[in-house]
């Protein structure tokens, strides 16, 4: 039986998940592949920590160079994360003729063009199924299953950590910080969890999906990004009173002159399928012109689900090596020469949830609604509970569809009023996801 040797750099949450999948499903994988995937070397800084899996001691090394410069290794699996030295390692592996598998969405979103150009130059391939949606095979689905479609829109819950936090804040009324600690303990969060909770990790994943779906080169700076760290239990409670759930959503719409790409907490109708996605689960709701709406669902983070995606790339690459297939590209490349025109958030039109923190005085509601009206913003409903003469109280409004620039100007004016005691919270609403 033909044996393909692979090297792993990064024996953390995902690295150990990969090793477990390779070990536990070895007979199945060998039978399906008609060959054997041999884990030849594992590099990690810390060789003492218990990884929950047993590997022969002699394959462990603290030196990534031992993977990169070993001519027997055909595929280098990069699971250390971060930008450097991961970028340098991947470029070096490719230069020495190794195929690469990575889950590093931050690196692909920032340096994808350079990495894919190098892969082409050196005649190697890169597998990145695990970079979006954890265990959900969304990259392959977009590139193969949906290749016949013009993609109209993508709505994705793409960050397991944030969805886990929002779900537990909703169900158990727990505070943000407490739940984040659990997500870290469970191995869902990035080494720097601000990437998760500030929406940056979701933007990295949206950049990858949008490049595939809309065939454009995405500059991360063009994606509007807002995280969940300012969402309070009060917003969650009000949103459910209005019949909505709050999710951190990646939104991509490609059916206008400009592509719309944004990441922010979003209020979705409570009955929508995406609203039912809880905990570490991710879901990607994609509409194509021929297929209509589709939804992909599964665990978006964690060692084993992500390991499943990494190993799927390994099987794919090893299959080609065994069959002697070289240079198989995809019909949907990750990197396009076409720079996409992205709609600015000021141009985006949505209904909005606005939570003002206002002194409870006569005339407050009419002052706020007057300013909103002046900026062409119509009010659909208002909630104000509790009466406190001296303290500020929450005043919540749902607007009709409003342009981003109008919301922006109105809130600048309202936030500077004496009666307003804190920055107004804005949550955009997507009421009509088809
Ligand atoms: P971990 O931090 O758990 O694992 C990374 C491992 O790499 C650590 O053991 C780290 O050692 C080691 N490492 C760091 N630098 C080097 C180096 N120079 N040489 C060798 N080893 C090194 O991260 P994850 O497994 O969670 O994530 C890995 C990648 O997968 C990231 O790109 C992440 O974004 C991505 N990903 C993660 C998912 C998840 O659920 N966790 C899901 C999907 C993608 P030390 O800890 O000592 O620094
Ligand atoms: N930190 C990421 C998440 C890992 O929580 O979704 C999966 O990409």
């Amino acid at each position: 039986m033909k044996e393909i040797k692979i090297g792993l750099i990064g024996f953390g949450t995902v690295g150990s998940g990969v090793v477990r999948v390779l070990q536990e499903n070895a007979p199945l994988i060998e039978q399906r592949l008609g060959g054997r995937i041999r884990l030849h070397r594992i590099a990690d800084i810390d060789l003492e920590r218990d990884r929950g899996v047993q590997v022969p001691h002699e394959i462990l090394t603290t030196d990534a160079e031992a993977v990169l410069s070993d001519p027997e290794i055909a595929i280098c699996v990069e699971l250390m994360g971060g930008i450097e030295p991961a970028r340098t390692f991947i470029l070096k592996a490719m230069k020495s003729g190794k195929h690469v598998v990575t889950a590093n969405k931050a690196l692909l979103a920032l340096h994808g063009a350079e990495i894919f150009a190098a892969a082409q130059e050196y005649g190697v391939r890169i597998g990145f199924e695990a970079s979006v949606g954890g265990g959900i095979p969304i990259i392959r689905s977009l590139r193969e299953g949906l290749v016949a479609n013009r993609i109209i829109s993508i709505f994705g819950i793409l960050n397991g950590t944030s969805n886990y936090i929002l779900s537990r804040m909703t169900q158990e009324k727990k505070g943000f910080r407490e739940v984040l600690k659990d997500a870290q303990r469970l191995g869902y969060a990035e080494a720097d969890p601000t990437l998760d909770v500030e929406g940056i990790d979701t933007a990295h994943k949206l950049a990858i999906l949008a490049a595939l779906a809309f065939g454009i080169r995405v500059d991360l700076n063009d994606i509007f990004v807002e995280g969940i760290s300012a969402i309070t239990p009060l917003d969650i409670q009000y949103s459910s009173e209005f019949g909505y759930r709050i999710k951190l959503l990646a939104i991509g719409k490609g059916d206008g002159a400009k592509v719309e790409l944004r990441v922010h907490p979003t209020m979705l109708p409570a009955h929508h399928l995406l609203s039912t996605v809880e905990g570490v689960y991710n879901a990607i709701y994609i509409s194509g012109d021929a297929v209509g709406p589709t939804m992909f669902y599964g665990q978006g983070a964690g060692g084993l689900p992500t390991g499943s995606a990494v190993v799927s790339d390994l099987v794919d690459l090893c299959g080609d090596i065994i069959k002697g297939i070289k240079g198989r590209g995809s019909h949907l490349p990750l990197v396009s020469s076409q720079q996409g025109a992205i709609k600015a958030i000021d141009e985006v039109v949505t209904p909005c949830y606005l939570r003002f923190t206002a002194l409870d005085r006569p005339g407050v509601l009419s002052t706020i609604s007057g300013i909103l009206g002046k900026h062409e913003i119509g009010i659909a409903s208002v909630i104000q509970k509790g009466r406190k003469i001296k303290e500020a109280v929450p005043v919540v409004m749902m607007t009709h569809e409003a342009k981003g620039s109008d919301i922006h100007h109105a809130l600048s004016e309202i936030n500077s009023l004496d009666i307003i005691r804190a920055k107004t919270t804005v949550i955009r609403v997507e009421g009509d996801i088809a």
Side-chain angles (χ1 to χ4, degrees):
M1 184 177 274
K2 176 128 183 161
E3 193 173 87
I4 315 290
K5 292 195 171 106
I6 67 163
L8 169 63
I9 306 178
F11 197 17
T13 304
V14 182
S16 47
V18 167
V19 174
R20 235 176 103 186
V21 174
L22 284 173
Q23 288 178 346
E24 290 179 9
N25 289 350
L28 186 86
I29 292 168
E30 281 173 21
Q31 186 202 347
R32 290 178 178 168
L33 182 62
R36 183 169 297 140
I37 301 176
R38 167 79 62 199
L39 192 53
H40 187 62
R41 209 162 283 294
I42 300 178
D44 197 286
I45 294 170
D46 179 356
L47 299 185
E48 301 307 316
R49 203 180 314 158
D50 178 15
R51 309 290 174 170
V53 280
Q54 295 300 316
V55 292
H57 192 71
E58 62 274 16
I59 74 167
L60 290 171
T61 173
T62 52
D63 184 9
E65 195 57 42
V67 171
L68 301 172
S69 60
D70 186 334
E72 289 191 65
I73 291 175
I75 305 171
C76 171
V77 185
E78 181 278 305
L79 294 173
M80 53 181 281
I83 304 301
E84 283 295 357
R87 172 184 154 274
T88 303
F89 288 175
I90 285 180
L91 292 173
K92 194 161 183 188
M94 292 193 300
K95 194 171 179 184
S96 58
K98 299 184 196 325
H99 301 288
V100 168
V101 174
T102 182
N104 196 333
K105 56 269 167 165
L107 184 62
L108 292 178
L110 286 161
H111 297 283
E114 181 190 23
I115 288 170
F116 280 84
Q120 198 158 23
E121 184 182 347
Y122 301 121
V124 295
R125 286 176 56 202
I126 306 169
F128 55 100
E129 184 59 71
S131 64
V132 182
I136 306 172
I138 188 61
I139 301 295
R140 215 161 269 122
S141 300
L142 251 179
R143 293 181 124 181
E144 295 175 18
L146 298 177
V147 71
N149 287 261
R150 188 171 59 80
I151 302 299
I152 294 163
S153 59
I154 300 174
F155 297 91
I157 296 173
L158 299 180
N159 186 262
T161 302
S162 299
N163 203 52
Y164 175 84
I165 293 173
L166 287 175
S167 299
R168 288 198 55 201
M169 282 174 75
T170 306
Q171 289 157 1
E172 299 168 35
K173 318 269 177 277
K174 294 231 161 138
F176 178 88
R177 297 279 150 212
E178 183 184 352
V179 191
L180 171 60
K181 280 202 182 97
D182 285 345
Q184 288 177 291
R185 187 179 44 77
L186 290 162
Y188 303 155
E190 296 300 305
D192 171 5
T194 55
L195 292 175
D196 295 294
V197 299
E198 296 307 342
I200 302 157
D201 175 74
T202 302
H204 291 152
K205 292 165 177 166
L206 178 60
I208 294 171
L209 290 184
L212 294 175
F214 305 126
I216 52 166
R217 185 185 283 242
V218 180
D219 182 339
L220 268 179
N221 295 318
D222 289 337
I223 302 181
F224 173 80
V225 185
E226 209 175 78
I228 60 163
S229 59
I231 300 293
T232 64
L234 203 58
D235 297 314
I236 290 173
Q237 182 196 318
Y238 281 123
S239 81
S240 75
E241 287 182 31
F242 282 119
Y244 291 95
R245 293 293 304 271
I246 301 175
K247 295 288 178 189
L248 179 65
L249 225 58
I251 299 171
K253 296 183 185 177
D255 58 346
K258 290 183 182 175
V259 175
E260 201 171 308
L261 297 179
R262 49 195 165 98
V263 172
H264 50 72
T266 308
M267 284 173 58
L268 295 170
H271 58 77
H272 194 277
L273 268 178
L274 283 170
S275 295
T276 64
V277 176
E278 302 287 10
V280 73
Y281 281 81
N282 280 192
I284 304 114
Y285 192 92
I286 301 186
S287 295
D289 60 350
V291 72
T294 61
M295 187 159 122
F296 301 83
Y297 171 82
Q299 291 183 71
L304 276 182
T306 314
S308 154
V310 171
V311 175
S312 80
D313 280 339
L314 285 171
V315 171
D316 192 34
L317 283 168
C318 290
D320 277 6
I321 296 171
I322 289 168
K323 292 188 196 101
I325 299 169
K326 285 202 174 128
R328 185 163 64 92
S330 167
H331 301 295
L332 256 66
L334 181 66
V335 178
S336 161
S337 53
Q338 194 187 329
Q339 191 70 41
I342 314 290
K343 213 183 226 188
I345 193 70
D346 272 1
E347 299 174 80
V348 170
V349 176
T350 63
C352 287
Y353 159 101
L354 305 174
R355 177 169 55 79
F356 304 98
T357 306
L359 288 180
D360 193 7
R361 293 203 187 134
V364 165
L365 273 181
S366 64
T367 305
I368 293 174
S369 53
I371 295 174
L372 292 175
K374 192 175 85 184
H375 291 277
E376 310 285 322
I377 300 165
I379 299 164
S381 44
V382 180
I383 300 180
Q384 188 196 343
K385 291 180 187 167
R387 293 229 56 188
K388 288 182 182 158
I389 302 303
K390 290 199 177 131
E391 282 175 48
V393 293
V395 176
V396 176
M397 293 185 184
M398 279 296 228
T399 76
H400 291 297
E401 290 215 317
K403 202 171 164 195
S405 54
D406 292 333
I407 292 282
H408 178 86
H409 292 131
L411 291 188
S412 301
E413 210 172 307
I414 292 170
N415 283 339
S416 64
L417 297 172
D418 280 351
I419 50 165
I420 299 294
R421 291 306 165 101
K423 190 173 168 223
T424 301
T425 296
V426 184
I427 304 178
R428 290 168 186 81
V429 179
E430 287 290 328
D432 201 16
I433 297 180

